[in-house]
Amino acid sequence: MKKYIIRGNKTLSGNVRISGAKNSALKLMAASILANSKVTLQNVPDIEDVNTMAEVLKTLNAKVVFKPQKNRLEIDPSSINSFEAPYELVRKMRASVLVAGPLLSKFGRVKIAIPGGCNIGARQIDLHLKGFENLGAENYVEHGYINCAVKSDKAKVINSGSKLKGSIINLDFPSRGATENLMMAACMAEGKTVINNAARETETVDLANFLISMGAQIDRAGTDCIEINGVKTLKGTEYRIMPDSIEAGTFIIAASLCGSKVVIENAIWKNIEIFCLKLKEVGIDIESRGDNTIVVRRLANTLNTVYISTLPYPGFPTDLQPIIAVLLSVIPGISIITENVFENRFMYVDELNRMGANIKIDGHHAVIKGVKNLSGAPVKAFDLRAGAAMVLAGLAADGITEVSDIHHIQRGYENFESKLAGLGADISLVT
Ligand code: UD1
């Protein structure tokens, strides 16, 4: 089984370049189903989740060619003639459910495995399904699968031409996945759709811009009220994926823990502003150079404890919660993190405590009593971001840290170990 071996306490310095955003790439790949000709995506990260989404598209019989060295992916959806996302793939990657909106919109039907739980919580898709119903679809569960069909398409005639109908959708929570699935579904529905209490995430805006480049009519993406006027067809396009803010945040924390001066290129400050401002409050010297570059210096003076509460964008991102916890674990005094988005996102705490941290969980709060230093230990990656947090802890710890189950990390970080090694980290991947 693959592991990372990290010898900690090395000073990091130099430049690192952030890859394309995982959470944009996956959505754009799913949205490509809507096109009537070839889509070319640039700046696609070479990560496991992209390979899994490519598998999902191939299962539908789309033609997919990924050139990882060029970070270029081509999708020809014109051969799609299957409408089922199978359990093996949905279980492996929940984002597979994002093919539901495009398939339902274009073909009037979809069959999708019920995702079930995952390491960070229950993660329902009830809001997606309720939205599909608002748009005129019916859902029923059979043998572990959700079958959705536009009402008049119940005879299960493929390509019958039945269309979703534009509607007003009021989301109970600004779910990113539901907003994106419904925005994709509405693009080719008949008439106008309004999504109220929509997610305002930057990747949701990237998806909207991509759909607009295919010919979709979408207004006010990035606000909590998105308007979509359905069009008859969407055409193929070429599009460059935005940079990954969570990867940027991960390298910012690596630099805050062990950096002398680290220059993070292709990182957009405004997309993670609340996170960067929190680090300023901590006392990290962090600044935007204006050309999509963030410069981080670890100051020698004492750092400050902080309170953090995760919230949907533009709030503090839940994905950076385990990552910043590593930094807070070595700042003397008490810091508190409140997790408001996922109920099970403190799984990494026991592992971090095994490295000498002092963190207590009380409901959805983590009370962090800063220690002087962490000490290397064998630890496990519980999920993608928890795994990255373990690597960061290893970089800052005395001695050797072995991180196992790193397939979770490889789902979402392109060349993680070589990027860190390029900054001076002593990290190797062993099989
Ligand atoms: C996306 C991101 C993930 C990030 C999360 C929150 C992708 C591929 N993943 O996940 O990295 O951590 O946003 O920023 O983009 N919920 C429901 N019912 C639903 C949908 C969601 O109850 O139908 C709940 C979830 O259980 C969770 C919360 O809403 O507690 C947020 O979920 P959501 O915003 O949908 O996250 P994802 O899109 O799954």
Side-chain angles (χ1 to χ4, degrees), residues 268-316:
I268 303 175
W269 175 280
K270 77 169 171 43
N271 292 353
I272 40 169
E273 184 155 40
I274 197 157
F275 167 81
C276 296
L277 293 178
K278 200 47 94 169
L279 287 174
K280 271 185 184 278
E281 207 179 313
V282 164
I284 301 295
D285 182 3
I286 176 168
E287 58 175 5
S288 166
R289 253 192 5 204
D291 51 349
N292 287 350
T293 300
I294 296 177
V295 183
V296 188
R297 292 181 197 80
R298 162 87 192 219
L299 298 177
N301 61 1
T302 324
L303 297 178
N304 308 310
T305 57
V306 285
Y307 290 178
I308 288 170
S309 222
T310 66
L311 281 173
Y313 185 85
F316 192 97

Side-chain angles (χ1 to χ4, degrees), residues 23 27 123-127 175-177 319 341-342 345:
N23 288 348
K27 321 301 169 59
R123 296 183 90 175
Q124 309 290 328
I125 55 164
D126 54 320
L127 301 175
S175 152
R176 184 193 298 206
D319 284 356
V341 182
F342 289 111
R345 209 153 199 182

Side-chain angles (χ1 to χ4, degrees), residues 29-49:
M29 289 174 75
S32 302
I33 291 171
L34 290 163
N36 60 7
S37 57
K38 194 174 85 177
V39 167
T40 302
L41 298 174
Q42 296 160 357
N43 203 29
V44 179
D46 179 16
I47 53 174
E48 249 335 282
D49 273 8

Side-chain angles (χ1 to χ4, degrees), residues 194-317:
V194 177
I195 308 175
N196 288 317
N197 199 22
R200 295 155 65 187
E201 304 282 342
T202 53
E203 284 104 351
T204 310
V205 177
D206 210 32
L207 172 63
N209 288 336
F210 170 70
L211 290 164
I212 290 166
S213 78
M214 287 163 72
Q217 289 182 12
I218 303 175
D219 286 319
R220 307 186 64 206
T223 74
D224 60 2
C225 175
I226 303 177
E227 293 178 9
I228 305 126
N229 280 299
V231 294
K232 285 217 159 63
T233 51
L234 292 172
K235 59 183 190 318
T237 186
E238 183 151 350
Y239 191 88
R240 189 172 177 82
I241 289 166
M242 64 181 279
D244 195 309
S245 306
I246 308 302
E247 188 197 6
T250 305
F251 279 94
I252 288 171
I253 294 295
S256 305
L257 283 161
C258 331
S260 57
K261 178 183 171 191
V262 175
V263 179
I264 300 165
E265 298 166 3
N266 208 26
I268 303 175
W269 175 280
K270 77 169 171 43
N271 292 353
I272 40 169
E273 184 155 40
I274 197 157
F275 167 81
C276 296
L277 293 178
K278 200 47 94 169
L279 287 174
K280 271 185 184 278
E281 207 179 313
V282 164
I284 301 295
D285 182 3
I286 176 168
E287 58 175 5
S288 166
R289 253 192 5 204
D291 51 349
N292 287 350
T293 300
I294 296 177
V295 183
V296 188
R297 292 181 197 80
R298 162 87 192 219
L299 298 177
N301 61 1
T302 324
L303 297 178
N304 308 310
T305 57
V306 285
Y307 290 178
I308 288 170
S309 222
T310 66
L311 281 173
Y313 185 85
F316 192 97

